[in-house]
Amino acid sequence: MRKKLPPGQREIKKSRLRHIGSIPSFDLETWVLTAYGLVEKPLTLTWSNLLELPSVVIVSDFHCVEGWSVMNNKWEGVPFQTIVKMVKPEENARYVTFECEDGYTTSLPLTDLLGDDVLLAYKLEDEYLRPERGGPLRLIVPKKYAYKSAMWLKKIKFTSHHELGYWESRGYSNTADPWKQDRCAQSDNFVDEKRQGQ
């Protein structure tokens, strides 16, 4: 049975999953992932530390806000739930901001990140993620448009308030639900103050 696409999406072959702009360079000998903020146990993981954590494989679809979708992508990595259990968020930690090597940021409610399909991915189709695909590590949140699946991840910050990320502060939806076509901020129940004077 053919999978249903979210409204306004068209299926393409497995090719895009692309980046915009220059690609950061990485040295896995010095690479680290940091989780901090409103947590009981701040965390720093080296590449070897990360690979020692229990991993899972998920198959999920990838929906770009531009209107294209790549179906049935096989990802491997660490469930975000694992990081949450390790850092033990404080009671008022309700949101998470993801910070990337190129300066990109995005954020989500913690509750949206606790699903079994939310992953810190380091493999795609059984191969380690190439930098042009967001490697060495990227976030995968299949139930959101792809701009929430941050590439080149380096920091995870737990916060009490929702910080608008790069695209969200430029008018993109903060909820980013492809099944509701939440592409623009007007579909959210908030006002982006940075846009009020424009």
Side-chain angles (χ1 to χ4, degrees):
M1 184 175 176
R2 187 177 179 83
K3 268 191 172 181
K4 185 179 177 182
L5 282 167
Q9 297 294 115
R10 68 188 186 282
E11 182 179 355
I12 65 169
K13 297 302 178 184
K14 296 188 179 190
S15 59
R16 293 219 187 152
L17 302 184
R18 59 181 171 76
H19 69 280
I20 296 174
S22 59
I23 301 173
S25 59
F26 297 92
D27 180 354
L28 293 182
E29 294 296 321
T30 58
W31 180 92
V32 294
L33 175 70
T34 304
Y36 70 107
L38 297 179
V39 297
E40 293 180 17
K41 297 183 177 181
L43 179 68
T44 299
L45 296 171
T46 65
W47 182 246
S48 59
N49 293 154
L50 182 74
L51 297 184
E52 289 168 359
L53 295 177
S55 64
V56 298
V57 173
I58 64 167
V59 176
S60 62
D61 304 330
F62 190 91
H63 305 299
C64 180
V65 72
E66 295 175 351
W68 53 266
S69 296
V70 182
M71 311 299 278
N72 300 316
N73 302 283
K74 182 182 179 183
W75 303 98
E76 182 176 344
V78 177
F80 190 74
Q81 294 174 356
T82 299
I83 302 299
V84 173
K85 290 174 184 176
M86 293 174 74
V87 300
K88 299 184 183 303
E90 296 176 3
E91 187 174 345
N92 60 335
R94 298 174 55 213
Y95 301 96
V96 183
T97 297
F98 297 91
E99 304 172 24
C100 305
E101 191 68 35
D102 64 341
Y104 183 84
T105 60
T106 192
S107 62
L108 284 156
L110 179 56
T111 52
D112 286 357
L113 296 164
L114 298 179
D116 293 337
D117 58 351
V118 178
L119 203 62
L120 300 182
Y122 50 74
K123 282 188 179 181
L124 174 61
E125 308 300 342
D126 298 315
E127 295 184 359
Y128 283 105
L129 276 175
R130 301 192 304 273
E132 60 267 29
R133 294 288 184 261
L137 188 71
R138 73 175 298 161
L139 177 68
I140 294 297
V141 188
K143 292 182 176 66
K144 302 293 184 181
Y145 282 123
Y147 61 87
K148 292 291 189 180
S149 294
M151 305 169 75
W152 310 310
L153 194 57
K154 71 171 185 177
K155 291 183 180 179
I156 302 169
K157 179 170 61 172
F158 291 76
T159 67
S160 61
H161 59 287
H162 207 158
E163 300 179 342
L164 292 183
Y166 178 87
W167 284 119
E168 297 87 341
S169 65
R170 289 161 171 79
Y172 279 57
S173 168
N174 206 21
T175 53
D177 185 341
W179 294 98
K180 296 179 179 178
Q181 294 199 76
D182 288 345
R183 302 177 193 271
C184 301
Q186 289 83 346
S187 60
D188 297 339
N189 293 319
F190 74 95
V191 176
D192 181 358
E193 295 179 357
K194 294 185 178 180
R195 292 175 57 82
Q196 285 183 333
Q198 297 180 2

